[in-house]
Amino acid sequence: MGASLSTLTDDGATMGPGLGDIPESCVACVFLYLSPPEICNLARLNRAFRGAALSDSVWEKKLPANYQDLLDLMPPERYQNLSKKDIFALLSRPVLFDDGNKEVWIDRVTGRVCMSISAKAMAITGIEDRRYWNWIPTEESRFQIVAYLQQIWWFEVDGVVKFPFPPDVYTLSFRLHLGRFWKRLGRRVCNFDHTHGWDIKPVRLELSTSDGQQASSECCLDDTEQDDVNGNHKRGCWIDYKVGEFVVSDSEPATEVRFSMKQIDCTHSKGGLCVDSVFIIPSNLRDRKRKGVLK
């Protein structure tokens, strides 16, 4: 049952029970209601807390129900013989798949599944013609590369992913950047010479799922006059443009999600846009991501 419920001080006085007297099994029951960071912090208190923080029964509850689907994306030797806590730590780091063009991970606070899809995994009209598009290596992308549009009339980006998402409500968004950027003498520099056409007509963003859900939105990527009034400048920074939400009620069968971004009015050209990736994230975690605290 653990340590004695009372101890003697140096002068012979009796002390009441302390944290060290709580049975490890009781601590483990409490840990079921705490987040992984809270568990790790409390594990430093004493031996009972440390033992409970290593319990597979605790960490099994923190993992998504279908965490084995994420493990199956890796070679078995990477996760064999690992404790549930170590599996949680392993899956909280990005797991690459589809030739390294997609990655999935679990949020370190909630254990919920997030995904990112590189522009390399998307069908981009004109991507093979260097008069229109170029691939730019950069540390600002999770995938170390982005697609840069110099100029085009028919702008269309399409993608698809099929994955056993756990039950949740997910938000899909495109990560875009107006202007070309690079490093000069250690400082970030942006150039907007090619940036044009995005303030004339909106870009249409769409998604659909294999079970019939649909969502769409429209936005002007470079509405500079309105941005100046609101003090919100879109040029020179990465922005997540929300396409919409979809609901997953069961991880089986796997959900197929199709998404697109289009501006196909050929009466004017547009250019000067970087396309990095698409994020699929549980909807109420999206605000944390926008504040830069999504783990």
Side-chain angles (χ1 to χ4, degrees), residues 213-267:
Q213 299 178 67
Q214 296 184 354
S216 64
S217 63
E218 290 188 348
C219 61
C220 285
L221 302 185
D222 194 25
D223 194 356
T224 52
E225 182 177 345
Q226 181 176 343
D227 292 341
D228 289 339
V229 171
N230 297 332
N232 176 24
H233 302 282
K234 294 180 179 178
R235 292 190 174 196
C237 58
W238 289 104
I239 297 178
D240 290 343
Y241 289 90
K242 179 179 176 179
V243 180
E245 295 182 343
F246 63 95
V247 179
V248 176
S249 56
D250 197 333
S251 59
E252 293 296 338
T255 302
E256 182 179 87
V257 184
R258 294 185 176 273
F259 49 89
S260 65
M261 174 172 54
K262 302 176 182 177
Q263 215 292 19
I264 56 178
D265 184 345
C266 294
T267 60

Side-chain angles (χ1 to χ4, degrees), residues 1-293:
M1 287 293 293
S4 170
L5 289 180
S6 62
T7 57
L8 293 177
T9 63
D10 291 340
D11 59 3
T14 301
M15 295 181 62
L19 287 175
D21 300 310
I22 304 176
E24 185 177 305
S25 59
C26 293
V27 177
C29 289
V30 174
F31 280 0
L32 294 176
Y33 299 93
L34 302 182
S35 69
E38 291 170 335
I39 293 171
C40 293
N41 286 334
L42 290 173
R44 295 177 288 185
L45 286 177
N46 56 46
R47 183 178 298 177
F49 279 61
R50 185 161 54 252
L54 296 174
S55 170
D56 276 354
S57 63
V58 170
W59 289 97
E60 182 95 35
K61 296 294 185 180
K62 306 305 174 186
L63 289 162
N66 66 330
Y67 70 90
Q68 186 62 48
D69 290 324
L70 279 67
L71 292 176
D72 289 343
L73 299 173
M74 308 183 204
E77 56 269 19
R78 285 193 61 188
Y79 58 84
Q80 284 179 342
N81 303 318
L82 290 181
S83 68
K84 293 298 190 292
K85 179 182 179 183
D86 290 336
I87 288 176
F88 187 96
L90 178 66
L91 294 180
S92 67
R93 297 187 291 269
V95 179
L96 292 168
F97 65 105
D98 191 15
D99 297 324
N101 293 323
K102 298 172 184 173
E103 63 180 23
V104 63
W105 69 97
I106 61 174
D107 178 63
R108 293 178 185 174
V109 176
T110 65
R112 295 158 74 187
V113 171
C114 307
M115 181 179 289
S116 183
I117 303 167
S118 169
K120 278 279 189 180
M122 304 177 201
I124 302 177
T125 300
I127 191 65
E128 302 299 332
D129 194 329
R130 296 195 63 181
R131 293 175 300 173
Y132 305 135
W133 290 90
N134 287 294
W135 293 107
I136 303 177
T138 174
E139 296 178 354
E140 296 189 16
S141 169
R142 301 177 69 97
F143 300 95
Q144 306 300 308
I145 196 167
V146 300
Y148 176 69
L149 172 64
Q150 297 189 106
Q151 178 173 294
I152 205 166
W153 278 261
W154 186 289
F155 173 73
E156 184 171 4
V157 179
D158 298 280
V160 60
V161 62
K162 188 173 184 179
F163 192 78
F165 290 99
D168 213 327
V169 181
Y170 295 89
T171 292
L172 187 147
S173 58
F174 277 90
R175 185 172 187 252
L176 309 175
H177 182 288
L178 281 175
R180 182 163 183 168
F181 57 90
W182 65 91
K183 287 281 186 71
R184 177 187 294 167
L185 300 177
R187 298 183 62 183
R188 189 178 192 270
V189 179
C190 289
N191 182 284
F192 306 106
D193 288 348
H194 295 144
T195 305
H196 69 283
W198 303 111
D199 57 340
I200 300 176
K201 289 194 175 179
V203 170
R204 182 166 181 81
L205 310 170
E206 298 179 331
L207 75 81
S208 62
T209 65
S210 49
D211 61 356
Q213 299 178 67
Q214 296 184 354
S216 64
S217 63
E218 290 188 348
C219 61
C220 285
L221 302 185
D222 194 25
D223 194 356
T224 52
E225 182 177 345
Q226 181 176 343
D227 292 341
D228 289 339
V229 171
N230 297 332
N232 176 24
H233 302 282
K234 294 180 179 178
R235 292 190 174 196
C237 58
W238 289 104
I239 297 178
D240 290 343
Y241 289 90
K242 179 179 176 179
V243 180
E245 295 182 343
F246 63 95
V247 179
V248 176
S249 56
D250 197 333
S251 59
E252 293 296 338
T255 302
E256 182 179 87
V257 184
R258 294 185 176 273
F259 49 89
S260 65
M261 174 172 54
K262 302 176 182 177
Q263 215 292 19
I264 56 178
D265 184 345
C266 294
T267 60
H268 67 281
S269 66
K270 38 265 177 190
L273 178 72
C274 292
V275 179
D276 173 34
S277 58
V278 158
F279 279 96
I280 300 177
I281 292 174
S283 294
N284 60 0
L285 295 185
R286 185 168 179 261
D287 288 340
R288 287 177 49 213
K289 176 183 178 297
R290 293 178 68 182
K291 295 174 184 177
V293 296

